[in-house]
Amino acid sequence: MKHAGELIREAVTSWPGVEALPHRFGGVEYRYGRKEMGHVHGDRLADLPLPRKLHDEMIAAGRAQPHHVLPDTGWVSCWMSEPEDAAGVIELFRMQYERYAAAKASTAATED
């Protein structure tokens, strides 16, 4: 059976334009272009930066918690206790990916 971190890596790096890099505080950072989508610490914890409205919605829905170290920021934390928990984290990364890709497409359209 694959571990949560491995499942996340396989899914997130399969999307065009996403790369996995070592994160400065340990773990794996996922980037779309030059923007960090979030990072994963092993198989136990994922941290993602969200706009305040989305941050609040994800916490209210129980899909994330305020960041474990910086709770007053737009970052959220997602704790994982088993591989099945990776699916919810992958969904959040997918939201990030779609937001970043849309922003890039919008910027490219205005540059034409």
Side-chain angles (χ1 to χ4, degrees):
M1 178 183 288
K2 293 185 179 180
H3 296 284
E6 189 179 1
L7 294 168
I8 294 165
R9 184 182 192 109
E10 284 180 3
V12 178
T13 58
S14 74
W15 306 330
V18 175
E19 62 180 334
L21 305 163
H23 185 64
R24 66 187 176 277
F25 299 123
V28 179
E29 179 175 316
Y30 295 96
R31 289 187 161 270
Y32 180 78
R34 294 172 55 188
K35 293 187 66 140
E36 180 181 351
M37 297 168 58
H39 53 269
V40 177
H41 299 281
D43 300 313
R44 308 276 304 158
L45 174 65
D47 296 316
L48 295 91
L50 301 175
R52 181 55 67 175
K53 183 177 186 295
L54 188 55
H55 165 276
D56 294 347
E57 288 172 4
M58 293 301 105
I59 292 170
R63 296 180 64 187
Q65 299 173 359
H67 189 271
H68 62 109
V69 176
L70 304 166
D72 297 325
T73 67
W75 285 78
V76 296
S77 291
C78 301
W79 293 94
M80 300 174 283
S81 57
E82 55 192 13
E84 291 77 15
D85 295 334
V89 171
I90 292 167
E91 286 177 12
L92 290 178
F93 271 104
R94 186 68 193 189
M95 262 194 278
Q96 289 289 74
Y97 177 75
E98 290 171 1
R99 285 181 42 246
Y100 290 4
K104 182 178 179 184
S106 173
T107 301
T110 58
E111 291 175 353
D112 289 340

